[in-house]
Amino acid sequence: MSKTVGYARVSTREQNLDRQIAALREYVSDDMIVTDKSSGKDLNRAGYQSLKVGIGKLVKGDTLYIKSIDRLSRNKEDAKRELKYFTDSGVRVKILDVPTTMMEIPEGQEWVLDMLNNILVEVLSSIAQNERETIRKRQAEGVAVMPIDEKTGKRKSKRTGRVVGRPCVNYPENWKEVYTTWKAGTITAVKAMEELKLKKNSFYKLVHQYEE
């Protein structure tokens, strides 16, 4: 027999679950509401894990109600993976804040549910990608305003004074001679790396810099 379960989560013990539980009660009985007071960054929560293992594990045909997608995880990538885990297991996930997931699916038209879940996963993927790009942009903007270290020519942190980024690779003393011989086709790239005592990545990085 299939079961209907609700899941509610807040990040700290000081926060209140009442609002989420009140919303879930419209669809789930009190004794079937699982709760956690734990950070959304951690997936190893006692209540949440009880939905995936043990006697309370949700299986094909079961339904899980949550107030919003970030109750699964605050991280969009994790939330996407968790949603996919349940849908791949045949568990219907209904999100109160996403009306399309609450639709009643006529028997024999389960493809509609698959379509809705796929759309939701794609939306989450796009949100996660946008968040990653925003973070990278902010990091780049932060680095751009850092002062330049006179010794290394690289940016350094105002707070710690440490140089940001990987250490610079210096040109070996015999660089010009070996580079010229290699470009002339007299020796192979492998031989050039041996003579310069450079790894492949460092060699081609210096080639790129030198030729620019």
Side-chain angles (χ1 to χ4, degrees):
M1 182 177 177
S2 62
K3 56 184 178 290
T4 299
V5 177
Y7 178 70
R9 180 189 64 79
V10 289
S11 297
T12 67
R13 294 189 179 278
E14 288 71 31
Q15 291 178 308
N16 202 305
L17 288 160
D18 291 352
R19 185 175 63 86
Q20 291 180 59
I21 292 175
L24 291 171
R25 276 179 180 148
E26 294 186 37
Y27 309 93
V28 187
S29 61
D30 279 14
D31 63 326
M32 295 299 285
I33 296 177
V34 178
T35 64
D36 275 316
K37 288 193 173 185
S38 181
S39 170
K41 294 186 294 184
D42 181 16
L43 293 175
N44 192 29
R45 308 170 224 128
Y48 185 64
Q49 287 301 314
S50 73
L51 304 176
K52 302 172 76 174
V53 296
I55 194 170
K57 180 180 178 179
L58 297 177
V59 296
K60 185 175 182 179
D62 291 344
T63 302
L64 173 64
Y65 281 88
I66 53 176
K67 181 71 172 63
S68 58
I69 191 65
D70 61 0
R71 296 308 88 193
L72 294 181
S73 175
R74 198 173 68 184
N75 180 287
K76 297 298 187 300
E77 283 287 356
D78 286 342
K80 181 186 74 172
R81 283 192 290 269
E82 294 305 298
L83 177 64
K84 191 173 187 304
Y85 163 80
F86 286 116
T87 55
D88 286 351
S89 300
V91 177
R92 174 83 185 269
V93 180
K94 293 190 176 186
I95 307 167
L96 274 56
D97 288 350
V98 184
T100 51
T101 67
M102 301 292 290
M103 292 171 54
E104 292 300 323
I105 307 299
E107 189 175 348
Q109 295 189 24
E110 286 75 14
W111 64 269
V112 176
L113 177 58
D114 291 336
M115 180 185 70
L116 292 175
N117 285 333
N118 287 335
I119 291 173
L120 185 55
V121 167
E122 287 303 314
V123 168
L124 285 172
S125 297
S126 297
I127 292 173
Q129 178 63 29
N130 287 336
E131 286 186 344
R132 288 195 299 273
E133 290 176 357
T134 299
I135 290 170
R136 283 198 292 266
K137 182 179 178 182
R138 287 175 179 170
Q139 289 173 336
E141 290 172 348
V143 170
V145 298
M146 289 179 177
I148 296 177
D149 183 78
E150 293 181 1
K151 292 182 179 179
T152 63
K154 295 177 73 67
R155 301 283 181 180
K156 65 179 180 180
S157 169
K158 291 180 181 179
R159 184 172 63 85
T160 65
R162 293 178 180 174
V163 172
V164 175
R166 295 179 180 176
C168 295
V169 179
N170 296 320
Y171 290 98
E173 290 183 6
N174 58 338
W175 168 263
K176 189 173 182 179
E177 176 189 346
V178 175
Y179 169 82
T180 303
T181 307
W182 168 65
K183 289 297 283 186
T186 307
I187 61 173
T188 64
V190 174
K191 181 63 177 176
M193 291 175 212
E194 288 177 0
E195 293 191 14
L196 293 167
K197 295 182 173 59
L198 290 173
K199 293 183 178 180
K200 184 177 180 180
N201 288 345
S202 298
F203 174 73
Y204 283 108
K205 180 180 179 180
L206 288 181
V207 168
H208 179 68
Q209 289 177 182
Y210 189 74
E211 292 179 348
E212 280 190 339

